[in-house]
Amino acid sequence: MAYDGKSRREMADRTKRKIYDSAVQLFAAKDYKDVSVDSIVKLAGVAKGSFYVHFASKDALVTEMIRDQVELVDADYKNFMAGFAEGASAEEMMLALIGRITDVLVDVIGCERMKIVYVAQISKDVGAEVVSDYNRKIYDLFGNILGRGVERGEFRSEIPVE
């Protein structure tokens, strides 16, 4: 059976997804240091070489996983904030956003995944800086809420929003 470019790309995407999903499953059950590339490819049912076609290292895979999670939660925060009425107070919005962040940290991300992120940030072995990157969408949300509060006189304006 001959494969065209699209079919090869689809196969490669499926293989990458299997590796990624297997890693997510293993990291949910074990500590970062206890998950090896061998265990990931074994669970995914792919050759070890396939792993390195898609990821430079286990750290690169984890970096991608963290980046993807950050993008998902930031999009969730943005959608959540879009549900507020135009007349909502900045204080109400700020408290709601903080509550949403807390809910996501506890109910979605969880303690074990946060441990992985914190260890990655401290060790600097994995590119976890995306979590604290001030270019994240979440910081735009906070800036918009603070700006709204200052504009409406709800928050003090002596300190710049930035």
Side-chain angles (χ1 to χ4, degrees):
M1 178 171 153
Y3 294 105
D4 61 16
K6 184 177 180 185
S7 295
R8 287 178 195 254
R9 173 83 333 246
E10 288 172 353
M11 285 176 43
D13 289 346
R14 280 194 301 273
T15 299
K16 183 176 182 180
R17 175 91 314 211
K18 285 199 294 191
I19 293 167
Y20 186 101
D21 291 345
S22 296
V24 167
Q25 186 177 340
L26 288 169
F27 288 126
K30 300 178 180 182
D31 285 341
Y32 174 80
K33 65 183 179 338
D34 296 329
V35 176
S36 66
V37 170
D38 288 333
S39 64
I40 295 169
V41 297
K42 182 178 179 184
L43 183 60
V46 301
K48 191 171 186 176
S50 295
F51 179 93
Y52 291 107
V53 166
H54 298 287
F55 304 100
S57 64
K58 179 175 86 168
D59 292 347
L61 169 58
V62 171
T63 298
E64 185 169 322
M65 292 168 68
I66 292 170
R67 186 184 66 246
D68 291 348
Q69 188 68 43
V70 165
E71 289 175 6
L72 281 173
V73 297
D74 281 2
D76 173 73
Y77 299 146
K78 184 177 180 181
N79 289 336
F80 175 74
M81 296 308 295
F84 277 85
E86 185 60 36
S89 74
E91 179 182 9
E92 175 187 356
M93 293 173 73
M94 183 67 74
L95 290 173
L97 178 56
I98 292 168
R100 183 62 167 217
I101 292 168
T102 303
D103 291 344
V104 168
L105 287 172
V106 171
D107 300 332
V108 177
I109 297 172
C111 184
E112 290 305 312
R113 284 188 184 160
M114 285 309 302
K115 265 186 5 186
I116 293 168
V117 171
Y118 288 142
V119 167
Q121 287 180 307
I122 291 167
S123 69
K124 299 192 187 302
D125 290 339
V126 178
E129 59 275 349
V130 68
V131 173
S132 55
D133 182 358
Y134 287 114
N135 292 317
R136 280 184 62 185
K137 292 175 186 154
I138 191 170
Y139 293 114
D140 289 339
L141 292 172
F142 276 115
N144 290 339
I145 295 169
L146 290 169
R148 176 187 192 132
V150 168
E151 190 176 284
R152 293 179 171 186
E154 295 177 55
F155 299 146
R156 294 185 358 207
S157 60
E158 301 87 48
I159 303 170
V161 169
E162 298 77 32

